[in-house]
Amino acid sequence: MVKSSGAQRESDGVVVPLIAGMNPAGGKGPDFGQAGRAGKREGMAGTAQPNYPEGRHVAPVKVRQLQNRLWATAKQSPDRRFHALYDRIYRSDVLWEAWERVRANRGAAGVDGLTLAAVEDYGVHRMLDELAERLRAGIYRPAPVRRVEIPKPDGSKRPLGIPGVVDRVCQQAAKIVLEPIFESDFLPCSFGFRPKRSATDALERLRVGFIEGYEFVFEADIADFFGSLDQDILMSLVEARVSDRRVLKLLRQWLRAGVLADGVVSETVTGTPQGGVISPLLANIYLHAFDRAWVERGTGEVVRYADDFVVMCTSQEQAEQARETARAILGDLGLRLHPDKTRVVELRGGKEGFDFLGCHLHARMSGKQWEQRRIVRYYLHRWPSQRSMKRARQRVKALTGRSQVGMELQAVIGRLNLFLRGWGNYFRTGNAGNKFIELDRYVAWRLRRLLIKKRGRNLRAGQADRWKRTWFHDQGLHKLMGTIRYPKAA
């Protein structure tokens, strides 16, 4: 939830938001605040020195050692509250590692229009030194996030908040320091946005759980989780582990930094911006309270990936009970189940299936067991859901549209391969063989149409007949078929 703020000024008849981090003077270079202007007065020679005389490769090692110490301390003392963390956030090696991760994730500019390339032109070390000085002096203030809306397959839009590059670096540094502490508390049922855990691990737990006798699933969806998250409850959960007032103040500043949409800055009073670097960690901290409550009060086994979760049950009655328990626990956290996306699914005998993390999961009878031993045995299979296939076709269509006619075939194939490899690596651990063949055929058909448009009147008779899947694969097109790796092998 946001409420309107009057933080605007008029300049030559134009309404301009007054936002920290922007250059109101209209200069080409970024304005990093008082510390930045002081650095400019001192000259580049005094601000461009490397933070790490011993070499950049040492920074990740020291950061990993810091994280290991924090995790071990938190694991040994589950009730300990950490009170000296703020100075670690602006440590030179932590800030450099944060920058490396932000740069690797790329991402768009925030409200100040500052891009990663602009920061590199300005001087990365210079920017990090200025950010460290602002944090040390207590004058750092985050800018509002830039609101963008991403279209969803069902026609609705998902609001995302994009912080500025400097704010992303600062959030990443805070995450580096805070994540090991809370990671020591998180339960095994949580798989989303955690080190050495993935969506594939969550899907594997469902596959193995079905073999163990969980033949019913309570499929749940939290309505507007990132928008309705209670900030006071969140901060109380953070304070259970962190007592450093400056760190808590930093988190509150990010939560209440506001949103810039249509030229108007609105103050955020609930929720956390979906898209911020720190948001996944805050979401896991918030829903860790749900995980703990489920261990005490729930029935069945929860498998959660961020705000998406299902509950594996052994009977219809247990699944219905899980629905009521989830509704009660989420109500205590100020959340509610989505009425149209919550249901109980019976997997037994392949009666029903459900979608989770982009996959459709459905029980299928083992043909091999029936042919060899006349035994009827079902296993939980998974393959890309209809929504995932639709989005994949839309992406392929965009990469092979009319606007690509002027590009060389190898360039088009290169862009396609980037998408196909990433998409295929996610879905290859399962039973997606037929879907892979389907998408391979669609890609070849789109490329054939593109070449026909490209040749136009110069297309010779019979020339298009050789443009088949095998021909495109010979040109370097990534082939999905044959890349399946079954879970145990992978």
Side-chain angles (χ1 to χ4, degrees), residues 24-285:
K28 295 183 180 180
D31 181 13
F32 292 113
Q34 183 177 356
R37 290 187 288 274
K40 292 178 183 178
R41 289 194 298 268
E42 294 172 3
M44 290 297 293
T47 58
Q49 296 299 322
N51 287 4
Y52 325 103
E54 65 273 23
R56 294 180 182 178
H57 64 280
V58 179
V61 176
K62 289 188 174 181
V63 169
R64 176 59 62 187
Q65 291 173 349
L66 170 64
Q67 290 185 306
N68 289 341
R69 289 196 302 269
L70 290 172
W71 182 89
T73 303
K75 196 69 174 179
Q76 293 172 1
S77 306
D79 298 327
R80 175 172 177 171
R81 299 178 68 210
F82 290 77
H83 65 279
L85 298 174
Y86 188 75
D87 58 337
R88 288 166 171 79
I89 293 177
Y90 60 77
R91 252 175 50 171
S92 59
D93 54 346
V94 173
L95 285 177
W96 179 261
E97 179 65 17
W99 160 255
E100 291 286 357
R101 296 184 186 185
V102 168
R103 182 173 60 177
N105 290 333
R106 294 178 291 182
V111 295
D112 54 5
L114 189 67
T115 63
L116 295 171
V119 172
E120 291 177 336
D121 292 340
Y122 182 81
V124 175
H125 290 296
R126 183 180 177 185
M127 181 272 290
L128 295 179
D129 289 342
E130 294 167 357
L131 175 58
E133 181 58 33
R134 290 165 61 193
L135 288 169
R136 186 181 297 108
I139 60 175
Y140 166 79
R141 297 294 181 271
V145 299
R146 181 168 65 90
R147 171 65 56 82
V148 296
E149 293 186 341
I150 306 298
K152 299 171 67 174
D154 58 5
S156 61
K157 294 185 177 181
R158 182 192 305 277
L160 293 180
I162 303 178
V165 174
V166 178
D167 291 333
R168 294 208 297 272
V169 172
C170 192
Q171 288 186 19
Q172 184 66 66
K175 182 183 177 184
I176 288 173
V177 174
L178 294 176
E179 187 175 52
I181 298 172
F182 292 97
E183 180 66 27
S184 67
D185 296 332
F186 291 157
L187 300 180
C189 64
S190 172
F191 293 90
F193 305 108
R194 295 182 58 189
K196 299 182 180 180
R197 284 175 168 258
S198 65
T200 301
D201 296 329
L203 294 168
E204 268 300 280
R205 180 58 204 136
L206 293 174
R207 183 186 70 85
V208 176
F210 178 81
I211 299 174
E212 295 172 353
Y214 293 108
E215 297 181 329
F216 291 82
V217 163
F218 164 54
E219 181 187 5
D221 184 88
I222 301 176
D224 189 25
F225 169 72
F226 284 93
S228 57
L229 178 150
D230 191 303
Q231 294 182 359
D232 293 333
I233 295 178
L234 172 61
M235 291 308 301
S236 68
L237 295 171
V238 175
E239 290 170 6
R241 270 304 207 169
V242 177
S243 60
D244 191 323
R245 294 182 179 180
R246 293 179 296 176
V247 174
L248 297 175
K249 179 182 177 181
L250 197 61
L251 294 177
R252 289 192 183 95
Q253 286 179 337
W254 286 325
L255 290 174
R256 298 171 183 173
V259 175
L260 178 67
D262 300 325
V264 179
V265 179
S266 301
E267 181 184 358
T268 50
V269 295
T270 61
T272 178
Q274 187 175 3
V277 176
I278 199 71
S279 294
L281 175 60
L282 297 180
N284 275 333
I285 293 173

Side-chain angles (χ1 to χ4, degrees), residues 208-476:
V208 176
F210 178 81
I211 299 174
E212 295 172 353
Y214 293 108
E215 297 181 329
F216 291 82
V217 163
F218 164 54
E219 181 187 5
D221 184 88
I222 301 176
D224 189 25
F225 169 72
F226 284 93
S228 57
L229 178 150
D230 191 303
Q231 294 182 359
D232 293 333
I233 295 178
L234 172 61
M235 291 308 301
S236 68
L237 295 171
V238 175
E239 290 170 6
R241 270 304 207 169
V242 177
S243 60
D244 191 323
R245 294 182 179 180
R246 293 179 296 176
V247 174
L248 297 175
K249 179 182 177 181
L250 197 61
L251 294 177
R252 289 192 183 95
Q253 286 179 337
W254 286 325
L255 290 174
R256 298 171 183 173
V259 175
L260 178 67
D262 300 325
V264 179
V265 179
S266 301
E267 181 184 358
T268 50
V269 295
T270 61
T272 178
Q274 187 175 3
V277 176
I278 199 71
S279 294
L281 175 60
L282 297 180
N284 275 333
I285 293 173
Y286 199 90
L287 289 176
H288 175 60
F290 172 83
D291 298 339
R292 289 187 304 174
W294 193 269
V295 172
E296 298 173 359
R297 301 160 49 187
T299 180
E301 182 180 338
V302 170
V303 176
R304 182 175 66 80
Y305 190 94
D307 59 322
D308 294 330
F309 72 93
V310 297
V311 182
M312 299 187 297
C313 303
T314 57
S315 66
Q316 179 85 22
E317 295 75 16
Q318 190 181 43
E320 295 292 347
Q321 183 181 352
R323 187 209 301 261
E324 299 304 318
T325 304
R327 182 177 288 113
I329 295 176
L330 292 175
D332 295 338
L333 295 173
L335 304 172
R336 63 184 181 88
L337 292 172
H338 196 295
D340 299 329
K341 299 180 181 180
T342 300
R343 65 187 182 119
V344 173
V345 179
E346 181 181 359
L347 302 175
R348 184 172 51 191
K351 292 182 178 180
E352 296 179 272
F354 67 100
D355 293 346
F356 186 57
L357 301 180
C359 292
H360 181 75
L361 294 97
H362 209 113
R364 280 184 168 178
M365 190 178 76
S366 171
K368 184 176 181 180
Q369 292 283 348
W370 174 253
E371 291 175 359
Q372 294 181 353
R373 304 169 60 185
R374 292 301 186 209
I375 295 177
V376 177
R377 182 168 296 170
Y378 284 84
Y379 293 96
L380 191 63
H381 290 196
R382 64 176 184 265
W383 55 83
S385 65
Q386 291 184 1
R387 176 177 295 185
S388 297
M389 290 296 295
K390 180 179 178 181
R391 295 179 67 177
R393 287 191 293 267
Q394 289 175 343
R395 181 61 178 159
V396 170
K397 184 176 181 180
L399 292 173
T400 56
R402 290 181 178 271
S403 60
Q404 312 301 315
V405 170
M407 294 185 63
E408 294 292 333
L409 176 62
Q410 293 299 326
V412 176
I413 289 178
R415 296 175 64 184
L416 275 170
N417 285 346
L418 289 176
F419 165 73
L420 293 173
R421 285 196 180 97
W423 191 87
N425 287 340
Y426 180 81
F427 290 107
R428 68 174 186 160
T429 56
N431 313 89
N434 292 337
K435 299 297 182 181
F436 278 16
I437 294 174
E438 180 182 333
L439 192 60
D440 275 341
R441 289 173 177 169
Y442 181 74
V443 172
W445 177 72
R446 289 292 308 180
L447 284 174
R448 185 174 184 271
R449 289 190 58 183
L450 181 66
L451 287 182
I452 292 174
K453 293 175 185 176
K454 189 179 183 67
R455 296 294 187 274
R457 295 180 179 179
N458 297 324
L459 182 67
R460 299 190 300 273
Q463 185 178 13
D465 294 339
R466 67 188 183 98
W467 293 334
K468 302 182 183 298
R469 276 189 298 165
T470 54
W471 186 85
F472 287 115
H473 292 150
D474 291 340
Q475 304 305 309

